[in-house]
Amino acid sequence: MIAKIINGIKIAKKIQKKLKKKILLRKKNKLIIPGLAVVLIGNDPSSKIYVKNKKIACNKIGIISKIYHLNDQITEKKIIKKIKKLNQNKKIHGILVQLPLPKKINTLNILKKISYKKDVDGFHPLNTGLLCQRKPNLRACTPLGIITLLRKYKIRLKGMHALVIGASNIVGRPMMLEFLLEGCTTTITHRFTKNIYKYIKNADLIVIAIGKAKFLKGEWIKKGAIIIDVGINKLKNGKIVGDVDFDSIYKKASYITPVPGGVGPMTVISLLKNTIFACEKYYDKNS
Ligand code: GUN
């Protein structure tokens, strides 16, 4: 079996076109233009690139965006003050604090200060809780992007055994909740899981987000499984690869996402969607 490649770039471009039209229509109808604030703390090189890409994506469809770059010595109190100001800012409808934060900062303390109405990352405890209670509101971008990709490829999720490898707050945990919502039987493994292969060989669908280059091997998976790779790992030779050993998985899976060009573009598109959603739901005049 040779896997079909899930083309995240193509799907993201299609959605991008739709969102651009939506913003143009809002302008024509004299509705407010959605605004996104991205807060970057410190100088992590990957975070800097992600933040820049988010700004470029906003520009492309007409969302107004502003990056607030704070230095890594800043106190929690000062960050919270900035967030409170952004919560009050009428031109801003989405706030994203790029993660990870410097070690001395308590991430949850910061995330819960973002108004749940502007929480375009879906990391506020209220939005996480709503997803947990089957009432999704603003949803974490990478899991949402993955669900969108699977829908676009008409993959029927109900009843599937979905395995999430990696239990991070950003990807693994919200992904598990998204699969439950879709009617999957859901398993999540993490660094303390014993005999991970037992779960891998039984899974119809695997999402992996652990940051280990080429970890998942073709010989471990069920024939025809769907494999979604969230990893972005830089090899010594500079090449970017995922958490999946593409060459061996490709011959046994039914679908596979490439790295780059699979999940990545969908994460950014979900952020744009969430910003428009927040603007429409909470800030349009008759909302
Ligand atoms: N760092 C890696 N992924 C993400 C994400 O989706 N949102 C935020 N805020 N930070 C991240």
Side-chain angles (χ1 to χ4, degrees), residues 122-156:
F123 295 156
H124 187 286
L126 182 77
N127 286 317
T128 309
L130 283 170
L131 179 61
C132 191
Q133 304 265 349
R134 303 185 236 195
K135 296 280 181 288
N137 188 45
L138 284 161
R139 301 150 82 167
C141 296
T142 300
L144 179 59
I146 290 171
I147 295 292
T148 308
L149 264 188
L150 295 167
R151 287 235 172 91
K152 295 286 175 196
Y153 276 80
K154 298 192 169 39
I155 293 167
R156 202 181 131 81

Side-chain angles (χ1 to χ4, degrees), residues 72-233:
D72 59 357
Q73 295 307 317
I74 195 168
T75 60
E76 224 168 279
K77 213 168 161 188
K78 280 198 176 145
I79 303 170
I80 291 170
K81 199 169 158 199
K82 181 80 225 166
I83 287 171
K84 285 190 174 162
K85 230 173 145 186
L86 292 170
N87 284 340
Q88 300 302 323
N89 186 333
K90 288 204 164 61
K91 289 184 178 161
I92 295 294
H93 313 96
I95 302 169
L96 177 148
V97 176
Q98 186 65 29
L99 303 177
L101 295 180
K103 279 208 174 73
K104 62 176 174 117
I105 308 282
N106 180 326
T107 302
L108 182 59
N109 266 356
I110 303 298
L111 295 180
K112 68 185 183 195
K113 295 298 187 306
I114 297 173
S115 162
Y116 73 91
K117 297 178 178 177
K118 298 190 178 186
D119 171 38
V120 284
D121 249 333
F123 295 156
H124 187 286
L126 182 77
N127 286 317
T128 309
L130 283 170
L131 179 61
C132 191
Q133 304 265 349
R134 303 185 236 195
K135 296 280 181 288
N137 188 45
L138 284 161
R139 301 150 82 167
C141 296
T142 300
L144 179 59
I146 290 171
I147 295 292
T148 308
L149 264 188
L150 295 167
R151 287 235 172 91
K152 295 286 175 196
Y153 276 80
K154 298 192 169 39
I155 293 167
R156 202 181 131 81
L157 295 173
K158 204 166 276 176
M160 266 194 186
H161 180 194
L163 170 65
V164 180
I165 305 179
S168 69
N169 288 349
I170 296 177
V171 181
R173 284 164 198 257
M175 188 77 255
M176 176 194 75
L177 293 172
E178 290 285 352
F179 282 145
L180 265 182
L181 192 67
E182 293 293 328
C184 296
T185 302
T186 308
T187 303
I188 184 158
T189 63
H190 42 75
R191 72 179 84 174
F192 304 118
T193 300
K194 289 179 185 148
N195 195 5
I196 192 179
Y197 315 103
K198 177 171 88 183
Y199 304 101
I200 292 173
K201 77 171 184 215
N202 287 313
D204 303 309
L205 164 62
I206 300 176
V207 171
I208 181 163
I210 58 172
K212 284 189 184 170
K214 301 185 183 194
F215 173 82
L216 189 70
K217 305 283 188 285
E219 69 219 58
W220 303 343
I221 67 164
K222 189 196 261 189
K223 195 173 165 201
I226 298 157
I227 308 294
I228 309 294
D229 190 352
V230 183
I232 302 174
N233 309 290

Side-chain angles (χ1 to χ4, degrees), residues 26 32-37 63-64 86 89-95 115-120 138 274-280 282-284:
R26 288 184 68 85
I32 45 175
I33 303 306
L36 173 70
I63 287 180
I64 297 164
L86 292 170
N89 186 333
K90 288 204 164 61
K91 289 184 178 161
I92 295 294
H93 313 96
I95 302 169
S115 162
Y116 73 91
K117 297 178 178 177
K118 298 190 178 186
D119 171 38
V120 284
L138 284 161
N274 280 351
T275 306
I276 297 171
F277 174 94
C279 184
E280 284 177 342
Y282 296 117
Y283 299 100
D284 273 350

